[in-house]
Amino acid sequence: MRLLRSPRLATVLLVVICICAFHTTSAIDIPLEVLGHINIEQLPTITAQSPSTLIAFPFDESFPVICEAKGNPEPEFRWTKNDQEFDPFLDPRLMKEENSGTFVIPNNGNLTEYQGTYRCYASNKLGIAISKEIEFIVPNVPKFPKETLDPVVVEEGQPFTLKCDPPNGIPPLQIYWMTINLQHIEQDQRVSVGLNGDLYFSHAVEKDSRRDYCCFASFPRIRTIVQKTAMSVIVRTRKSDSSENANAILERKPSLLTPPGGKSEIQLVKGEDLNLECIAEGFPTPQVEWMKMGHKFPSKVRFENHGKLVIVPRAEQEDSGKYMCKAKNPLGEVQHTFTVTVEEPPEWVFEPESQLSMIGSDVHIKCSASGIPQPTTTWRVNGGPLQESPARNRRVIGDTIVIHNAQVSDSAVYQCEASNRHGTILSNANIMIMNLQPMILTSEGEEYSVVERKRVTMHCKVFSSPPSTITWSKDDSPESVHGPRFTVHENGSLKIYNVERGDTGQYTCLAKNTEGSSAINAMLYVKDPTRIVVAPEDQRILIGTTAQLSCLAEYDKSFSNDFELLWEKDDMEIALNYTENSRYFVENGVFHIMNVSHSDQGVYTCVAKTPADQDVASALLMVLDVPDAPENLVLSDRKGRNVTLKWVPGDDHNSSTTEFVIEYEESHWEPSNWKELLRVPGNRNSAELRLNGNVNYCFRVSAVNAVGTGRPSEATERYKTPPEAPDRNPENIRIEGHLPHEMDIKWEPLLPIEHNGPSLEYKVSYRRQDVEEDWKEHTVKRHSFVVRNTPTFVPYEIKIQAKNRQGFGPEPKLVTGYSGEDFPSAAPDDVAVEVMNSSVVKVSWTRVHKDKLHGHLGGYRISWWRLRSLLDSKKSPGDKHTLAVPGDKNRATVPILTPFSEYSLIVMTFNGRGNGPGSHPVNFKTPEGVPEKNHDFRVTDVQRHTVSLVWKPPLEPNGILIGYLLKYHLINDTEEVGPLQTVDISKPETTTWILRDLEPLSKYKFYLCSCTTVGCGPDVSDECTTTLETTSILAPAVGLSKSASPSPPSTPKSPVTKPTRSTIGLASIHGGISTKGWFIGLMCAIALLTLIVLIACFVNRNKGGKYSVKEKEDLHPDVESQGMNDDTFCEYSDNDEKPLKGSQHSLSREIKAVESGDSLVDYGDEDAQFNEDGSFIGEYAGRKEKRASAEIKATIQTPA
């Protein structure tokens, strides 16, 4: 056949159905596997046909009348039209196709000749199958008749009806009443359109008069709208001699315009909509009520057309019964009863089924249908009436045909047709009688995989007649598998429940019937179950961030290439395409969702899948965001300045709303500027607002949750509050007196929105507090007022009250203040100065009496200036300095004075007006201190073994200079340093120095500080590198010499520590010599020699014991004869430099003690404590001898 040759349709047409018991199937279909081995004839079967009704819409190009069938041999087709033979091949206008019953009617001529009822017959030598009846309808174009309509004349108050009478056409039909300008006629309780299309008026009124009432009928299925001739209505108004009754409409009780009479019956088909209509006339306009007698209306009922129409959609049997409508007005009522019967088209109770039966069996063909009214059942065989094809072994018993001892010749197509007035149903049953040995259609050697404790089904699809007996066995066992875990189904499949490891093996399916047997083998493998070990967890994630869901699974190793890990959202698989724009990707078992949005919220499921089983785990992803804006803001309970604001909260996006922020905007003072008015808890959706008067408000609301504040809502309509007197008076009142005889009163004005009305002013009231007098009052518009001609600094009582055109604000609070201040008229007495140290003094005085202050005491001011340095006898006064001491104090500390200077000092008091007169000046002198840094210290000449240093004395010696302390040592780039060498320069006029016997090609750092008898000042430093020596690597012992000019008198050289060779090596900056072989050997020799010398010194020291006093004196020449003074020894370094390594610490401790004595705990506080006790000089002198002794001893013991 043509259809069987089409590969696309082959599978559809040859669907494999139940195998081993074909007597229970609904159709016979020989599988392709069977047809590949033997040729089996098949009865014809209708596979496709047109619907029961085929409408020839004018806009369609053609109309196919379909009939397709299959069978073996291929069926032949014939048609009947209106129960008469019809051959499409005889009409050249019809389009046909070979081996098909379908023909096509083109839309290119008069289609009415094809209108009729068609039936298709498909036959081969085994039998005939027939199709359902197909009605081909050619609709006429609906038209209203051309007619001339007389005007409808009606008295005012009387009912009338405009008839539409639409033409017949293809349903559905829709009726519209409009004017000639396509404006809809307004419908209400008085005017309405009925189900029949007529326009009903309960009573006429004057405005009903018009000339263009048009009825439009719409047929959407044929895309047609037709219009009836316009109708004219003239309403005659009532005339009366009495003016009170002029144009009055007489009242009357209701009556029904439709339906007529008191009762009616309605039949409809199940599934259709039940429409019940009652349109009444009367005056006043009647109201229509509905009820179902003895029952309640179902919830699906709808009331439309202003209550005149009841619609019960998709009516069922339970919707049958009696319904009543009742039309009422004050003059009476009228009612109508509907008896509704819901009927049904024919439905199969038992549809006849195709059967494959063995020869000699009894065949039962049952056909039963239901419907209201009860359908009539008709049997056919091979398309003809059953009685026209008699058979001795066939009889009809009730609704069943019984074929006894069926033979091959009894194969045929039986048709059962059931019909009532609502329709017809037809079913073909193919009855085939034949014997066939079992044919197993399932492939040999199928493999099945299943996990433990699951179930598995192994298939054994069999085709045979009579039905086969099917058994299953395992591993060539002669016994069939049995037990509660094993079930063999009718279709031959073996199902094993709760699979165990021991179920692995080879299974055999054996099919037997009277004609023979057949068998196949299948393998079953039991696998480890798939299990998710790390499941995703529920998450609450912030919008715009990245969500991460973890999922890890274990599975049978044999599925390594077949394992899949999939992700689903809300049961829909997520496609992972791994492109740049993709927001989803999986990495190391973690599912990432980038830039999370609201649409990402849902249930995410991880699916771990193998061919044998799968495991799933789900997690809920909740997306957090700020709340949506509230909606439907409404202002209610408007009572003057109080109003209630209500709103509907927006979505909180999974984070509960904690509060709502209510903002306002007013249109006069600051339009478009939104300000916060109120906050309410998040569980409320309304707020009582207390507003200011005379303000034109609008409001908006925004919601707040843990994520943040959401967008504000749309603004409300404007609400203007009535004007009222002010609610409050000014605050923050300040009374100031800038002049002695004036008092300035200032206050914080009311905000514009707080005015509560126009013409805001302030009433200022004041009176003296210390005398009896009346209030003085002034009204001003600004927020300040000056009271003139007041006594100096006397107390006043002041109050300020707001007022507007509506009245005064509340009673104001009383505020006390003072009139203007004048300058103090007296200076502090008994001013005394106590010198604490070289830079700090303590000042005391006697307080000024309050009567001389003439104002609020601000405190005292101390002014001082430097007269001269004690090194200079000529006075040159310096800048004046001032220290303010707030409050009523009589002592203070003056810091940061210059040491060794003469100062002058005065003390004065001050108030809000200014300073009073100063006290008598007091002169005092500060003692010596440590010098400042030296000026311009630098290296001027660098040779192989010598370095020249130049400096200038400090700008502020802070005393009498007694000399300088010079220190130096080797350094390198790694911050390592050699031992510190010191030179004591005892002549203060010395400003240059030459250091000799230095190591060549070595980097040195030099430090210099100036000294007084108090101590040494801070260091200044410089660095340099000696030049390369050409004659010898080793340098002679380092010696110190004075500079040539000026040169100190013949002073013995200060013994210094000679730098060791190892130290020189650390400081060397020579780039390449350190890598030479001879240089490395020389360095090793020097290191060995140094070690021997150190051991000898150590042995000698242990043998000699301690030095005697005489030996120490011999080793230490008189300090003064050397021109050195240990008072200049100082371990200070510049703040920018690191601490000196190897320096002696006795002078350091001494200088630190001096510093701590000069420090101030809190300047300006008379309770400051000082450490200076005046004995530091003597203590320092005792320590310097020990320091010198230690220095000389260390020098002698240093190896040369």
Side-chain angles (χ1 to χ4, degrees), residues 351-367:
E351 185 177 2
E353 298 175 338
S354 298
Q355 301 176 37
L356 173 62
S357 299
M358 61 184 293
I359 298 172
S361 62
D362 290 343
V363 179
H364 297 259
I365 311 169
K366 185 174 183 178
C367 177

Side-chain angles (χ1 to χ4, degrees), residues 588-731:
N588 298 327
V590 179
F591 176 57
H592 298 258
I593 307 174
M594 307 291 291
N595 192 21
V596 171
S597 64
H598 291 303
S599 62
D600 293 319
Q601 180 167 301
V603 176
Y604 287 81
T605 302
C606 171
V607 182
K609 191 175 184 181
T610 67
D613 72 332
Q614 68 178 33
D615 193 15
V616 298
S618 298
L620 175 62
L621 180 66
M622 301 177 69
V623 180
L624 304 181
D625 196 2
V626 296
D628 285 345
E631 300 175 342
N632 302 331
L633 271 66
V634 176
L635 294 174
S636 61
D637 300 332
R638 307 184 187 194
K639 299 175 183 177
R641 291 169 54 193
N642 294 328
V643 66
T644 299
L645 176 62
K646 298 180 179 179
W647 61 87
V648 176
D651 191 341
D652 63 8
H653 295 302
N654 305 308
S655 179
S656 299
T657 301
T658 56
E659 61 181 354
F660 291 98
V661 180
I662 303 171
E663 297 176 304
Y664 73 90
E665 181 262 349
E666 50 83 21
S667 59
H668 179 64
W669 303 103
E670 295 181 85
S672 303
N673 185 17
W674 289 91
K675 297 181 179 180
E676 183 176 321
L677 176 65
L678 184 66
R679 288 178 180 248
V680 298
N683 58 357
R684 292 173 51 183
N685 61 355
S686 66
E688 302 290 334
L689 307 183
R690 171 71 177 170
L691 308 175
N692 293 105
N694 198 39
V695 178
N696 194 15
Y697 285 98
C698 66
F699 306 94
R700 70 184 187 185
V701 181
S702 55
V704 181
N705 63 10
V707 180
T709 303
R711 293 183 299 102
S713 66
E714 295 292 330
T716 64
E717 73 272 20
R718 294 240 173 229
Y719 175 65
K720 187 169 185 179
T721 54
E724 289 186 12
D727 293 328
R728 56 181 288 263
N729 291 311
E731 296 178 350

Side-chain angles (χ1 to χ4, degrees), residues 123-162:
S123 61
N124 63 13
K125 66 179 183 179
L126 300 181
I128 302 173
I130 64 175
S131 72
K132 301 174 184 177
E133 289 187 338
I134 303 169
E135 183 179 9
F136 183 66
I137 300 174
V138 181
N140 295 320
V141 177
K143 293 181 182 179
F144 279 105
K146 293 183 179 181
E147 55 186 341
T148 302
L149 301 175
D150 295 330
V152 177
V153 181
V154 60
E155 293 288 338
E156 185 178 14
Q158 295 301 310
F160 70 97
T161 302
L162 298 181

Side-chain angles (χ1 to χ4, degrees), residues 608-867:
K609 191 175 184 181
T610 67
D613 72 332
Q614 68 178 33
D615 193 15
V616 298
S618 298
L620 175 62
L621 180 66
M622 301 177 69
V623 180
L624 304 181
D625 196 2
V626 296
D628 285 345
E631 300 175 342
N632 302 331
L633 271 66
V634 176
L635 294 174
S636 61
D637 300 332
R638 307 184 187 194
K639 299 175 183 177
R641 291 169 54 193
N642 294 328
V643 66
T644 299
L645 176 62
K646 298 180 179 179
W647 61 87
V648 176
D651 191 341
D652 63 8
H653 295 302
N654 305 308
S655 179
S656 299
T657 301
T658 56
E659 61 181 354
F660 291 98
V661 180
I662 303 171
E663 297 176 304
Y664 73 90
E665 181 262 349
E666 50 83 21
S667 59
H668 179 64
W669 303 103
E670 295 181 85
S672 303
N673 185 17
W674 289 91
K675 297 181 179 180
E676 183 176 321
L677 176 65
L678 184 66
R679 288 178 180 248
V680 298
N683 58 357
R684 292 173 51 183
N685 61 355
S686 66
E688 302 290 334
L689 307 183
R690 171 71 177 170
L691 308 175
N692 293 105
N694 198 39
V695 178
N696 194 15
Y697 285 98
C698 66
F699 306 94
R700 70 184 187 185
V701 181
S702 55
V704 181
N705 63 10
V707 180
T709 303
R711 293 183 299 102
S713 66
E714 295 292 330
T716 64
E717 73 272 20
R718 294 240 173 229
Y719 175 65
K720 187 169 185 179
T721 54
E724 289 186 12
D727 293 328
R728 56 181 288 263
N729 291 311
E731 296 178 350
N732 297 331
I733 300 172
R734 305 184 304 279
I735 296 103
E736 301 171 350
H738 299 291
L739 296 175
H741 302 293
E742 290 185 356
M743 180 173 62
D744 292 348
I745 306 173
K746 298 180 180 179
W747 58 89
E748 185 179 290
L750 298 186
L751 296 174
I753 199 173
E754 297 173 331
H755 290 184
N756 279 2
S759 303
L760 182 77
E761 295 177 324
Y762 302 98
K763 185 177 77 170
V764 182
S765 305
Y766 59 92
R767 68 182 179 187
R768 284 186 62 172
Q769 190 181 44
D770 55 346
V771 296
E772 293 276 342
E773 69 175 18
D774 295 332
W775 289 96
K776 296 182 178 62
E777 297 179 348
H778 296 273
T779 302
V780 297
K781 292 184 178 181
R782 60 185 182 276
H783 53 278
S784 64
F785 181 72
V786 179
V787 181
R788 305 185 188 279
N789 301 320
T790 63
T792 300
F793 198 65
V794 295
Y796 276 84
E797 292 178 337
I798 299 102
K799 56 184 181 180
I800 302 176
Q801 188 175 24
K803 61 164 290 191
N804 61 17
R805 193 176 295 169
Q806 309 306 122
F808 285 91
E811 184 64 26
K813 295 179 181 179
L814 203 65
V815 178
T816 301
Y818 284 81
S819 59
E821 298 177 281
D822 204 349
F823 296 106
S825 58
D829 294 327
D830 303 327
V831 177
V833 177
E834 180 185 358
V835 178
M836 305 302 295
N837 57 37
S838 62
S839 61
V840 177
V841 298
K842 185 177 289 186
V843 184
S844 61
W845 59 88
T846 301
R847 296 180 177 89
V848 175
H849 194 274
K850 64 178 182 178
D851 294 337
K852 302 295 184 179
L853 293 174
H854 305 306
H856 296 288
L857 174 64
Y860 293 87
R861 282 194 174 95
I862 304 171
S863 296
W864 70 93
W865 56 96
R866 187 185 185 196
L867 296 176

Side-chain angles (χ1 to χ4, degrees), residues 929-934 954 956-959 961 1010-1012 1015-1018:
V930 298
E932 292 183 353
K933 286 184 179 182
N934 284 79
E956 286 290 351
N958 291 338
L961 287 179
S1010 302
C1011 300
T1012 64
C1016 296

